Each structure stands twice: as C-alpha cells, then as structure tokens.
Amino acid sequence: MKVGTDSVLLGAWCPLENNPFSVLDIGAGTGILSLMIAQRSNAEQIDALEIDEDAYEQCVENFENSPWGDRLFCFHAGLDEFVDEPEDEYDLIISNPPFYSEDYKTENSQRDLARFQEAMPFEDLIEAADLLLSENGIFTVIIPYKEEEKFIDLCAEAELYPIKVTRVKGTPTTEIKRSLLAFKRYELSTLTADELVIEINRHEYTDDYINLTRDFYLKM
C-alpha cells in the first residue's frame, strides 16, 4: 500500500519532548507512524491498532521486517474493543484517523463508500485518548484544516489542550488543507500556530518540508 503524505508529515512532526516509553498508534494502516516513531525515539513499547485485516497483515509484516520488531506490536481490533479493557497508559497517542469529508471524492464510488464507513468519529478518538493518555502524555493527530476548530473544542471538553499547531498547504498559493495538532492535559498560556508549505512547484519541495522529512525518504 502506498505511503501517504499525511502520515509522513505526522510521523516526522509529532513532538517527542516527553521521551515516551509507551506509544499507541490508532488506526495504524501499514504501520508507518509506528515505524517512524520507532526510528525517532527510544520508546520501548509501541502498540498499533488496526481493524482492517489486509492492513493488519501488512502492518505485522512491516514490523517483523523492520530493525525495531522487538518494540512493535500490532493488535487486530477496533478502538471500541481496545478501550473496553484498557491495560496500559500511553505517553504518546498518535493517529492519522480515517476521516470522511465531502471534498474527499474519487472516481471509485466503492472506495468512497469504504472511506465513509471506515471514518472514525472524532468523539470516539478523543474519548480513547482521554482514557489511555498518561499524565504527561501527548496526543497528536493530522486532520482536515476545516475540522480543526471542532476538534480542538472537543478535546477541550475532555481537558486536552493544544501545545503545538501546524497548518499545511500544498503550495504557497493553495489554501490550507491539513492541521497537525498535539495536545496535553494542561493548558498553555499562549499558543502560536505555524504554517508548513510542501512544494514550490510539482516535486520541487520547500526547505521546510525537506528538513522535516528527509530522514524518512531515500531520495530527498
């Protein structure tokens, strides 16, 4: 399965200043976020959660073939099952949640339907983060920019507050498409959002994007 820019952005951007011991990747797909965090950190326990069977099998295979296989584990389960019997707290919870919005339309109506059915309600994701996040833990996501305000409000209801916000544009002239968000259990007195532009022209990447992601590309 191909690697999406959203996952690369989140995996490279995700703050790790709390030196997480334990990590949970919700909706792991092929495991890219877990693998990137394994590469970037000394986390001893990296648990991934994936409900789709094909993605789960690919995730397990990717974990086994990686240099960090002893630190990575994938659960074949949905978030609701996992939250029913929580055994651990996590210092980092990371998710590129399957989202569905009306601007997501492909030529494949079946794929659109699957995307809609896979979509994870933000409320469920935030409730799980509140339940499973350690006291000094960080919860981090990438979502459509137009959902940013709603997501931050929902997190505030669970007493999770933003500590880092980066808004992503494809090129300098296009509108903001994505929001990278990180939350903790305490509120900052001031929070400054910044902006990241991916490309100047097609396949001509900005210095900011190159500096952020170069450790994860063979040719960058």
Side-chain angles (χ1 to χ4, degrees):
M1 297 181 196
K2 72 176 193 172
V3 170
T5 305
D6 284 4
S7 291
V8 174
L9 281 168
L10 181 59
W13 174 92
C14 167
L16 297 173
E17 71 254 19
N18 64 336
N19 296 314
F21 173 87
S22 54
V23 178
L24 177 64
D25 175 3
I26 297 175
T30 57
I32 179 173
L33 289 174
S34 296
L35 291 161
M36 290 177 78
I37 298 303
Q39 180 173 322
R40 285 185 58 208
S41 76
N42 297 315
E44 293 284 323
Q45 174 193 353
I46 303 176
D47 291 340
L49 194 58
E50 179 50 56
I51 193 168
D52 179 85
E53 186 149 7
D54 291 341
Y56 163 76
E57 287 173 5
Q58 175 128 51
C59 187
V60 169
E61 186 181 335
N62 289 341
F63 285 179
E64 288 172 350
N65 290 330
S66 81
W68 312 288
D70 58 333
R71 297 156 57 197
L72 295 156
F73 185 81
C74 190
F75 292 92
H76 186 205
L79 184 58
D80 52 347
E81 299 168 70
F82 194 78
V83 166
D84 268 354
E85 296 177 29
E87 294 183 11
D88 293 298
E89 284 191 331
Y90 293 92
D91 303 317
L92 174 66
I93 296 177
I94 189 167
S95 183
N96 174 10
F99 51 78
Y100 181 87
S101 54
E102 63 273 15
D103 62 0
Y104 185 92
K105 286 280 189 289
T106 68
E107 299 301 307
N108 182 337
S109 58
Q110 195 174 359
R111 181 74 196 101
D112 287 349
L113 179 65
R115 185 78 174 193
F116 181 73
Q117 290 170 338
E118 288 163 11
M120 185 189 299
F122 287 157
E123 289 85 350
D124 293 3
L125 180 60
I126 292 163
E127 187 181 335
D130 182 32
L131 182 70
L132 298 168
L133 197 66
S134 65
E135 190 177 346
N136 293 308
I138 294 173
F139 168 46
T140 182
V141 297
I142 184 166
I143 58 169
Y145 169 63
K146 65 179 186 178
E147 307 282 3
E148 179 189 299
E149 191 177 345
K150 171 188 172 186
F151 196 91
I152 288 174
D153 288 347
L154 286 169
C155 281
E157 289 174 19
E159 297 183 341
L160 293 166
Y161 305 103
I163 57 158
K164 188 179 178 186
V165 175
T166 298
R167 298 177 182 130
V168 183
K169 298 168 76 166
T171 71
T173 56
T174 53
E175 58 188 42
I176 297 169
K177 204 69 189 265
R178 296 280 183 267
S179 293
L180 289 155
L181 306 173
F183 299 85
K184 276 191 163 181
R185 292 194 184 277
Y186 57 80
E187 207 164 352
L188 296 183
S189 52
T190 56
L191 174 72
T192 310
D194 59 14
E195 202 170 272
L196 174 71
V197 179
I198 296 175
E199 293 178 318
I200 302 161
N201 296 300
R202 188 79 180 131
H203 299 312
E204 185 187 343
Y205 296 105
T206 62
D207 288 346
D208 287 347
Y209 184 75
I210 290 169
N211 292 335
L212 180 66
T213 62
R214 60 157 50 107
D215 290 348
F216 304 100
Y217 284 111
L218 296 175
K219 299 174 183 174
M220 177 58 87

